[in-house]
Amino acid sequence: MRDMYELMIAVDLRDEISEAELAELSWHLGVGQQPERRSIVTRFPVVVTDDSGIPHVEDDPRPLLAGRGAAWRVGGVLCSALAIRADLPVKGWALMSRQEIHPDEFDQVGELLRWLAARAHPTHLREDGAVGIGFLRFHEDEIPAVLRVESGQVGWPA
């Protein structure tokens, strides 16, 4: 677990999010119950070995941005929050999350980030068509890089 990154998401979402999507998003942030059905990130494959020693894939859903408390490698505190923007000129939802993430988690977290980018308020849209979704910093680096979603792809480090 040496390749740990600080993931900082700060995005305003449009107000067209359904109640079911809002419930699932709240679960991912660690502030709601696991929904019966998932539409944002639908698969959580994990390889397990049965009693006979044969590996097979099972679905093991888990919230992706629910870390809380002291960070293990990046310092500071892990947290997530979702707030309604009812009294502000730009309606919708404000989302913030600070998490530790390992590259093995990039694919699943990327699904969630692509979903967020597709619902981001236009103020997050860059001139080149990318959506600025937050920041990513390798735990040993001092300066984070802007994390963008462009053409349906998250700009993870190579």
Side-chain angles (χ1 to χ4, degrees), residues 1-157:
M1 292 296 250
R2 297 180 59 154
D3 295 336
M4 198 62 72
Y5 288 82
E6 172 191 34
L7 172 65
M8 176 68 176
I9 302 167
V11 64
D12 295 319
L13 304 171
R14 297 185 311 270
D15 60 356
E16 303 101 36
I17 298 172
S18 72
E19 288 296 319
E21 291 170 326
L22 190 58
E24 184 176 351
L25 182 56
S26 295
W27 171 66
H28 278 296
L29 298 174
V31 295
Q33 298 296 315
Q34 180 176 339
E36 285 186 32
R37 289 186 162 164
R38 298 179 310 275
S39 64
I40 298 173
V41 180
T42 58
R43 297 181 57 241
F44 293 82
V46 61
V47 177
V48 296
T49 305
D50 64 19
D51 294 338
S52 305
I54 300 171
H56 63 280
V57 177
E58 289 185 358
D59 191 42
D60 187 21
R62 63 180 182 80
L64 298 174
L65 303 174
R68 295 277 189 277
W72 180 64
R73 294 287 290 173
V74 301
V77 174
L78 306 179
C79 58
S80 290
L82 182 66
I84 193 162
R85 299 178 52 90
D87 297 329
L88 297 171
V90 177
K91 304 297 182 218
W93 299 90
L95 184 148
M96 191 284 305
S97 183
R98 181 176 188 265
Q99 301 292 311
E100 288 181 313
I101 183 171
H102 188 273
D104 291 347
E105 300 171 284
F106 283 177
D107 288 341
Q108 282 188 320
V109 172
E111 283 186 62
L112 178 56
L113 296 181
R114 287 190 299 275
W115 185 89
L116 291 171
R119 287 149 185 82
H121 191 274
T123 56
H124 294 281
L125 186 62
R126 307 291 187 229
E127 289 181 12
D128 61 2
V131 176
I133 201 88
F135 303 92
L136 187 71
R137 179 182 67 86
F138 183 65
H139 74 92
E140 293 178 348
D141 292 343
E142 292 182 15
I143 300 172
V146 174
L147 187 59
R148 302 159 36 114
V149 177
E150 186 172 9
S151 301
Q153 298 296 317
V154 178
W156 298 116

